Amino acid sequence: MASHTTTHTEAPLDMSTWRKVPTKLVIAGIVLTVLGAGASLMIKPEHAEHAIPVLKQFGFSYLTAYVFCLSFMLGGLFLTLLHHLFDASWSVPTRRITEALASLAGPMAIAFLPIMGLALFAEESNPYKWMTHAGHENHAVHAKGALMTKAGFVVVSLFCLGVWWLLANRLRYWSVKQDENGSAECTKKMRAWSCGGIWLFAITLTIAIIMWVKALHVEFFSTMFGVQYFAGTAWVTIGTTYLIALILKRQGPLQGFAREKTFYFLGSLLFAFTVFWAYITFSQYFIIWNANIPEETFFFLWREQGSWFGLGVLLIFGHFFIPFLALLRIDLKLKVWWMAPIIAWAWVMHYLDVTYNVMPVLRPFGFMPQLMDLGILLLLVGLYVIYFVKSLNAHPVMPQKDPRIAEALDMYVPPASSKLAGAKH
Amino acid sequence: MSASKPYGLLAEFDKPADVMHAAEEVRDAGYKVWDVHTPYPIHGMDEAMGLKNSKVGWFSFIGGVTGYTSGMLLIWWTNAVDYKILIGGKPMFSPFGAFPPSYELTILFGAFGALLGMLFLNRLPRLNHPLLKHDRFKLVTHDKYFIVIETADPKYSPKETRELLEKLGSKRIELVEE
């Protein structure tokens, strides 16, 4: 309790020096991307035979960075849906944070355009081989023919992006409306959207990741693929929410609202999803290993080549064992100096997890990070943060008239009926 | 029947807030061997009593590590050493194949560790407790709140401890015998 009370007297955290960081990220991202593109264009013609076309490299770098950024939007949407579905009171103080993360659905739809463009119009540089090759050379591809067409790609992509935008937009709309009128109607509306939304969320996340990432290996089968991405997504977003809530608490807006239990519960969820990710990722590997069918095992055989093997081992330890052991203790889940590095580590691990799924298609012989990978990552993250901060600032950070505020603060408010009875006396 | 040894001082309180504040004072007075008994869990009582995090977690952890290790060793010894079985051309022993059963054993032994560790730390099972002889103490499952400071506490003194509890607002303080 002592440490808890001292934080109240601390001076508000000054973030003004950080204000320009997102813009700097964007600039650095553009510079690195141009440098990366220039470097690969300058490869001498005699080596050009083995070189990867700039546009192809761009496609894969962009896809990796995009899928990484998408995680925070989907994770934010998921946590918002979950808050309403469970009618939770503890997550009231973090609701606006996850709503603001989810509100990136619109910009993320626009950011998808380069991938869509490459998929539909590029020939040699197309990340999706099945777009340019007739898909009848093997049965596995042929069986997926109905979905794996250009029209199928466009329809699925637009449907997923549209559903996310709709859900994020509606949840945001009713949430902000409640700030004005405080009506319980708004909560009920959000709950109704969440009930349908969670199904749509699960379906769209799965088919989107199948279409955009798994289809890089169009012959591959895995029922775990969507869930595996989801597990990492929720994991990294819970950590990020923890950090944002912590900053907002220190800065002032969530002072007194985000409390010990808020951070303890977020820390516990982070721990739970560390285990969930490991469970799903291991299961995917184990089922394929056990069945031992060539149509599936090639996915991991590719990823045992060269330094990809090392990256796989790094993920086992870095994505699971280290955070697992680090988050075991109850008291450490509340320590900033302990949690902040873990969350930063989680960003790196999630990016590497996405890389592990995407990049071996481009460079089967080893993990070779490119300037362009980093450049596009910084560019998208920078733009993402700028939009997120704008979206978060547009409305009060604490939901103003949420019916569960008192509960979230562990305060007892007598029911309305007894208040009326009291007023009569 | 010879005269029994005193077990501790039992102080009765009427309200949860009273017992909570009293617990804080007893904690600050430096008592170590004492306890609070209430009809239901009171949030914040751990802190008011100055209780640290339970040590049961260590027992589960050790149980889990034992379970995982013994699962792996069992499968390795039986399948790859003692009686080799070749299945589907896979290695005699692979950590992947051995993982699910070892994982189950981790959970099983972890649960054993938690249960047995809890019983051990609580010194359970035991057949009787001095407090159970006390008639007023039965109200602990109804609407009364109790603090008991045991004579085993190094700071215990029949006079000063009683005065402290009186000062804290207890209406009824009694000496419980073993």
Side-chain angles (χ1 to χ4, degrees):
Chain A
M1 206 66 193
S3 63
H4 189 66
T5 43
T6 49
T7 52
H8 281 283
T9 54
E10 271 175 26
L13 194 63
D14 183 21
M15 296 290 283
S16 55
T17 49
W18 289 74
R19 196 155 287 159
K20 289 201 175 115
V21 168
T23 322
K24 282 178 186 165
L25 283 180
V26 172
I27 294 166
I30 293 171
V31 171
L32 285 176
T33 307
V34 172
L35 279 179
S40 55
L41 280 176
M42 292 208 308
I43 292 173
K44 287 177 187 146
E46 59 262 34
H47 301 295
E49 208 176 311
H50 304 289
I52 287 161
V54 181
L55 201 56
K56 192 164 187 177
Q57 175 64 51
F58 171 81
F60 277 85
S61 299
Y62 193 91
L63 185 65
T64 311
Y66 180 84
V67 171
F68 173 74
C69 288
L70 187 71
S71 292
F72 298 91
M73 188 277 278
L74 289 173
L77 184 58
F78 171 69
L79 291 177
T80 315
L81 291 169
L82 216 59
H83 167 82
H84 295 300
L85 283 175
F86 282 96
D87 195 9
S89 60
W90 72 269
S91 46
V92 170
T94 58
R95 206 181 85 197
R96 280 285 148 83
I97 300 171
T98 54
E99 275 171 12
L101 283 171
S103 74
L104 280 134
M108 284 314 277
I110 297 167
F112 187 70
L113 286 176
I115 299 173
M116 183 86 95
L118 280 174
L120 293 184
F121 304 115
E123 289 291 329
E124 195 50 42
S125 304
N126 199 318
Y128 305 102
K129 266 200 192 129
W130 55 270
M131 291 266 192
T132 48
H133 293 58
H136 299 288
E137 55 221 43
N138 73 48
H139 180 69
V141 183
H142 186 66
K144 295 175 185 176
L147 193 62
M148 295 296 168
T149 58
K150 287 198 173 183
F153 187 85
V154 174
V155 169
V156 165
S157 302
L158 291 182
F159 174 69
C160 294
L161 293 166
V163 163
W164 299 332
W165 179 82
L166 180 73
L167 288 175
N169 180 285
R170 287 296 88 190
L171 289 169
R172 182 77 160 172
Y173 171 82
W174 288 109
S175 173
V176 171
K177 199 165 174 82
Q178 195 169 46
D179 274 5
E180 294 159 18
N181 62 17
S183 157
E185 176 70 13
C186 302
T187 299
K188 284 175 186 156
K189 286 279 185 199
M190 287 188 277
R191 202 174 296 162
W193 274 104
S194 300
C195 285
I198 196 77
W199 296 97
L200 284 170
F201 172 83
I203 293 165
T204 48
L205 180 139
T206 308
I207 55 173
I209 223 64
I210 285 175
M211 248 337 189
W212 300 343
V213 180
K214 200 175 86 170
L216 293 168
H217 288 298
V218 73
E219 304 88 350
F220 182 49
F221 295 87
S222 169
T223 48
M224 299 298 225
F225 206 81
V227 196
Q228 201 267 345
Y229 174 68
F230 162 75
T233 286
W235 182 66
V236 79
T237 313
I238 289 163
T240 309
T241 309
Y242 185 110
L243 203 63
I244 297 169
L246 193 75
I247 292 170
L248 288 170
K249 182 193 169 186
R250 293 284 197 83
Q251 269 188 313
L254 285 185
Q255 183 73 266
F257 294 113
R259 291 155 357 112
E260 201 175 89
K261 71 171 181 186
T262 318
F263 295 105
Y264 175 62
F265 289 166
L266 281 171
S268 303
L269 269 179
L270 186 65
F271 178 69
F273 272 89
T274 309
V275 180
F276 185 60
W277 179 88
Y279 178 72
I280 294 299
T281 308
F282 175 77
S283 298
Q284 175 172 263
Y285 185 89
F286 179 67
I287 291 168
I288 290 171
W289 179 87
N290 210 18
N292 212 4
I293 304 168
E295 285 93 325
E296 297 165 352
T297 47
F298 81 91
F299 180 84
F300 286 111
L301 288 177
W302 277 51
R303 282 157 181 77
E304 280 178 15
Q305 297 183 92
S307 47
W308 290 119
F309 182 78
L311 183 62
V313 173
L314 176 67
L315 284 175
I316 295 174
F317 285 91
H319 205 305
F320 173 61
F321 278 107
I322 292 171
F324 175 79
L325 294 172
L327 290 167
L328 261 179
R329 284 184 64 105
I330 290 179
D331 49 351
L332 289 177
K333 292 191 186 84
L334 297 171
K335 301 276 187 283
V336 186
W337 54 267
W338 187 252
M339 292 301 284
I342 293 175
I343 292 161
W345 178 252
W347 293 333
V348 178
M349 281 301 123
H350 186 60
Y351 180 76
L352 290 179
D353 185 26
V354 174
T355 304
Y356 184 76
N357 279 304
V358 172
M359 280 298 178
V361 182
L362 182 69
R363 294 175 194 278
F365 300 109
F367 173 46
M368 281 183 280
Q370 303 291 310
L371 267 186
M372 220 191 252
D373 292 342
L374 183 64
I376 294 172
L377 178 70
L378 295 182
L379 172 66
L380 283 189
V381 167
L383 289 172
Y384 197 104
V385 173
I386 291 172
Y387 190 90
F388 169 76
V389 171
K390 210 178 129 210
S391 174
L392 190 67
N393 281 339
H395 303 286
V397 172
M398 184 68 192
Q400 296 295 291
K401 290 172 183 168
D402 191 292
R404 299 261 175 235
I405 282 184
E407 254 180 83
L409 302 179
D410 285 339
M411 287 193 296
Y412 176 70
V413 180
S417 55
S418 67
K419 266 193 224 164
L420 284 176
K424 274 179 194 164
H425 285 291
Chain B
M1 291 274 278
S2 60
S4 308
K5 245 170 56 182
Y7 168 76
L9 272 179
L10 182 70
E12 183 181 318
F13 295 86
D14 289 334
K15 287 181 187 160
D18 295 345
V19 78
M20 185 105 144
H21 295 311
E24 284 168 354
E25 297 290 332
V26 175
R27 171 196 69 193
D28 292 343
Y31 285 94
K32 296 286 172 230
V33 191
W34 62 290
D35 209 348
V36 178
H37 301 269
T38 58
Y40 50 84
I42 296 176
H43 284 284
M45 187 55 90
D46 287 13
E47 265 177 38
M49 290 177 66
L51 290 183
K52 295 225 173 64
N53 195 6
S54 156
K55 289 194 175 64
V56 171
W58 285 105
F59 288 88
S60 337
F61 182 74
I62 292 163
V65 171
T66 313
Y68 184 80
T69 319
S70 50
M72 281 286 175
L73 285 174
L74 176 74
I75 294 165
W76 166 75
W77 171 253
T78 51
N79 284 4
V81 178
D82 191 40
Y83 194 94
K84 290 184 181 172
I85 307 170
L86 186 66
I87 301 162
K90 292 200 174 72
M92 293 296 180
F93 174 78
S94 162
F96 306 114
F99 185 78
S102 309
Y103 172 70
E104 301 293 342
L105 271 183
T106 310
I107 293 170
L108 183 69
F109 280 43
F112 285 162
L115 178 70
L116 296 176
M118 181 276 290
L119 292 175
F120 171 72
L121 290 174
N122 284 327
R123 288 165 214 176
L124 288 172
R126 60 184 290 175
L127 298 173
N128 198 15
H129 194 277
L131 287 175
L132 298 177
K133 287 190 294 192
H134 198 270
D135 271 349
R136 291 290 298 182
F137 190 67
K138 284 176 185 148
L139 292 170
V140 77
T141 59
H142 189 241
D143 64 347
K144 296 291 181 221
Y145 307 82
F146 293 91
I147 288 182
V148 58
I149 301 178
E150 294 179 26
T151 50
D153 194 297
K155 278 208 72 180
Y156 179 85
S157 104
K159 187 164 163 288
E160 281 164 29
T161 306
R162 183 178 285 268
E163 279 170 7
L164 173 74
L165 289 168
E166 270 167 11
K167 200 186 79 190
L168 295 175
S170 173
K171 301 269 160 41
R172 207 183 271 269
I173 300 169
E174 285 169 59
L175 187 70
V176 182
E177 292 177 338
E178 262 181 50

